Amino acid sequence: MTSDDFDDASQPDDDFPDRTVRLPPGDRSLAGTSQQGRDMMFAELAGVDMTEADFYWGMFHDAVLEDAILTRCDLRGATFNGANLRRADLRQANCALDNLGGSTDFIGADLTAADLSRADIGGADFTDAKLIGANLSAANAISALPAHRITRFNGADLTDARLGGARLNGAIYDERTVFPRGFKPDQAGMVRHIGSRKEKAKPRA
């Protein structure tokens, strides 16, 4: 089954068709396909394998992507605000800035236990996201446009997250951000954001 076939099957012939994308766990019809700018809002894609798909500028607001495989996907400029990405596989995914300098947004998303190891998250917005137990090992959070689009962890919960080898220089956080026990954001080059100002992180007691 191709993604086009699924599009046709997912739209009932009535005055108000349900355009919500739904695929069963293990489905691979989107893997390796080009889906640039596709509307995936409220999509139900738990356990779906989308390896190496191109979702540039895709819209995943409030989508269910629990256990989904997004390995090596192009997610630049995509929006995952409020999405469920618990245990999602985002290894080596490209979540960096798009060609116009727009960010990939995970605002309020649940990335509990998600795997973002070796992902490019430079310039991404994780404001108020749950990253509890997430794996960010060797992830790159250094923005290509540090003066305009900084990687944001304001209000993010990184409890028990794995940050070994992550490049976090210049990424910002605030007083609500929760880090793994013993993690020193200043030593990682992160910057504390207070109001409209950014200040170098101070060592915690």
Side-chain angles (χ1 to χ4, degrees):
M1 180 173 67
T2 68
S3 59
D4 289 337
D5 292 335
F6 185 78
D7 282 343
D8 293 338
S10 66
Q11 298 179 16
D13 185 19
D14 56 32
D15 292 336
F16 301 98
D18 178 4
R19 298 180 183 275
T20 301
V21 178
R22 297 182 178 90
L23 289 170
D27 186 276
R28 299 195 74 255
S29 62
L30 295 175
T33 64
S34 178
Q35 305 289 329
Q36 289 192 11
R38 185 165 182 180
D39 182 356
M40 298 291 236
M41 293 176 66
F42 307 107
E44 297 178 9
L45 301 168
V48 172
D49 186 348
M50 295 169 275
T51 299
E52 296 184 345
D54 182 354
F55 286 109
Y56 184 85
W57 281 3
M59 295 178 289
F60 290 88
H61 301 74
D62 299 301
V64 177
L65 294 152
E66 195 167 6
D67 296 308
I69 301 173
L70 293 157
T71 305
R72 296 187 299 279
C73 282
D74 187 348
L75 304 175
R76 291 174 297 158
T79 51
F80 292 87
N81 299 344
N84 176 0
L85 288 147
R86 295 173 66 90
R87 298 182 304 277
D89 186 349
L90 291 136
R91 288 175 297 166
Q92 300 182 63
N94 189 351
C95 307
L97 300 177
D98 63 30
N99 293 332
L100 300 176
S103 63
T104 304
D105 293 342
F106 295 92
I107 298 170
D110 188 349
L111 290 135
T112 298
D115 191 347
L116 292 106
S117 57
R118 292 183 290 166
D120 189 346
I121 56 174
D125 192 341
F126 293 95
T127 298
D128 296 326
K130 292 181 181 178
L131 290 149
I132 301 169
N135 183 4
L136 283 84
S137 300
N140 174 42
I142 299 176
S143 174
L145 297 173
H148 305 286
R149 292 286 186 179
I150 303 169
T151 308
R152 297 178 179 275
F153 290 98
N154 295 17
D157 188 346
L158 289 141
T159 302
D160 296 329
R162 295 164 59 185
L163 301 173
R167 300 173 63 199
L168 298 166
N169 191 59
I172 65 173
Y173 69 100
D174 62 15
E175 70 280 358
R176 300 175 299 126
T177 307
V178 180
F179 290 106
R181 185 182 299 275
F183 180 76
K184 305 293 184 182
D186 59 326
Q187 293 180 8
M190 297 184 73
V191 178
R192 183 173 180 178
H193 183 263
I194 301 176
S196 60
R197 298 186 307 146
K198 298 168 189 175
E199 295 184 0
K200 189 71 175 180
K202 296 180 181 178
R204 294 186 176 182

